[in-house]
Amino acid sequence: MYLSILLAIYDIGPHIMGGERVTRGEWLHIAAPLVGVIGVLMALISYGLASQRAWSRHLVIAMFGLIIVYASILGVLNLIHHAIMWRAIINASVFGGASAWYFYFKPNVVAYFLELKDRQSRSRR
């Protein structure tokens, strides 16, 4: 995530949002802040999953929710093309929906996170 920001700063490679080419300035102004925050969330998700933390699954959903909210706000303010906004919203909804199913409805994964939650609550006592 941070490499993509660095590449954009140095104007290396194409600058694409929602499958459409944009200027370097547009990408740095619009996409880079979101990419930076998502990079932090991905690091926290990785840490949470690797260290078996029950909260990690909530961050996955939050990440996709953030993309939907960010794209919606930018679209309403006419800061991005509506095609880019809709593509971001649809992609985040599809992948967020798949993640929600996996983390909250798939029986063995739900059982795993319930066990983690129980283990963490017992260790606090």
XYZ file of all heavy atoms in Angstrom, residues 1 9 13-14 22 27 31 34 48 55 57 94 96-97 105 108 112 114:
144
model
N 0.828 -1.187 0.000
C 0.000 0.000 0.000
C 0.876 1.255 0.000
O 0.617 2.185 -0.741
C -0.930 0.001 1.208
C -1.915 -1.166 1.251
S -2.943 -1.307 -0.211
C -4.229 -0.186 0.179
N 4.241 9.395 -5.751
C 5.000 10.606 -5.429
C 6.096 10.828 -6.458
O 6.323 11.952 -6.913
C 5.578 10.530 -3.996
C 4.450 10.660 -2.981
C 6.646 11.596 -3.765
C 4.850 10.371 -1.546
N 4.804 4.827 -13.066
C 3.683 3.970 -13.413
C 2.390 4.740 -13.623
O 2.323 5.948 -13.407
N 1.348 4.022 -14.028
C 0.059 4.676 -14.251
C -0.646 4.949 -12.919
O -0.411 4.270 -11.923
C -0.719 3.641 -15.073
C -0.143 2.339 -14.651
C 1.315 2.606 -14.370
N -6.179 8.408 -13.945
C -6.339 9.751 -13.405
C -4.963 10.406 -13.358
O -3.943 9.739 -13.532
C -6.971 9.728 -11.991
C -8.393 9.199 -12.031
C -6.128 8.909 -11.023
N -4.694 11.365 -8.002
C -4.474 10.135 -7.243
C -3.913 10.460 -5.857
O -4.370 9.914 -4.850
C -3.524 9.187 -7.987
C -3.573 7.819 -7.417
C -4.371 6.795 -7.824
C -2.814 7.317 -6.309
N -4.161 5.684 -7.040
C -3.207 5.975 -6.096
C -1.858 7.850 -5.469
C -2.683 5.175 -5.097
C -1.329 7.051 -4.459
C -1.732 5.744 -4.290
N -6.881 9.351 -3.680
C -6.684 7.940 -3.323
C -5.641 7.729 -2.231
O -5.805 6.842 -1.393
C -6.300 7.138 -4.564
N -6.793 7.431 1.483
C -7.511 6.177 1.722
C -6.551 4.992 1.697
O -6.629 4.102 2.553
C -8.611 5.984 0.673
C -9.428 4.695 0.800
C -10.192 4.666 2.118
C -10.371 4.553 -0.374
N -3.643 -8.827 14.207
C -4.743 -9.453 14.939
C -4.952 -10.910 14.575
O -5.147 -11.757 15.454
N -10.905 -9.459 17.771
C -11.304 -8.198 17.146
C -10.846 -8.061 15.701
O -11.311 -7.172 14.986
C -10.790 -6.999 17.953
C -9.337 -7.039 18.309
C -8.798 -7.410 19.502
C -8.229 -6.715 17.468
N -7.431 -7.323 19.465
C -7.047 -6.898 18.224
C -8.095 -6.276 16.155
C -5.774 -6.667 17.695
C -6.826 -6.046 15.643
C -5.693 -6.239 16.416
N -11.421 -9.670 13.003
C -12.441 -9.822 11.953
C -13.287 -8.569 11.798
O -13.753 -8.256 10.714
C -13.307 -11.048 12.195
C -14.207 -10.948 13.409
C -15.005 -12.206 13.577
N -15.789 -12.160 14.806
C -16.811 -12.929 15.022
N -17.187 -13.810 14.121
N -17.469 -12.845 16.151
N -19.151 -6.088 -2.603
C -18.994 -7.510 -2.946
C -17.952 -8.171 -2.040
O -18.210 -9.207 -1.428
C -18.626 -7.684 -4.438
C -18.184 -9.100 -4.739
C -19.808 -7.295 -5.323
N -16.689 -6.976 0.767
C -17.132 -6.861 2.157
C -18.190 -7.899 2.488
O -18.182 -8.490 3.563
N -19.099 -8.130 1.545
C -20.124 -9.164 1.741
C -19.518 -10.550 1.844
O -19.908 -11.353 2.705
N -20.553 -15.921 9.293
C -21.557 -16.939 9.014
C -20.986 -18.323 8.712
O -21.718 -19.308 8.797
C -22.467 -16.495 7.855
C -23.271 -15.279 8.193
C -22.916 -14.039 7.692
C -24.364 -15.359 9.037
C -23.632 -12.901 8.016
C -25.100 -14.229 9.371
C -24.725 -12.998 8.857
N -17.344 -22.999 10.884
C -16.068 -23.281 11.558
C -15.314 -22.004 11.909
O -14.628 -21.940 12.942
C -15.197 -24.221 10.725
C -14.814 -23.637 9.379
O -15.569 -22.892 8.771
N -13.631 -24.009 8.905
N -14.349 -20.691 15.682
C -12.985 -20.289 16.012
C -12.961 -18.942 16.729
O -12.319 -18.792 17.770
C -12.138 -20.231 14.738
C -10.784 -19.612 14.929
C -9.750 -20.322 15.532
C -10.530 -18.309 14.526
C -8.496 -19.755 15.719
C -9.282 -17.731 14.707
C -8.272 -18.453 15.297
O -7.044 -17.890 15.488
N -15.455 -17.436 18.295
C -16.128 -17.551 19.596
C -15.189 -18.157 20.631
O -15.158 -17.722 21.788
C -17.404 -18.389 19.475
C -18.579 -17.709 18.792
C -19.738 -18.692 18.622
C -19.020 -16.486 19.578
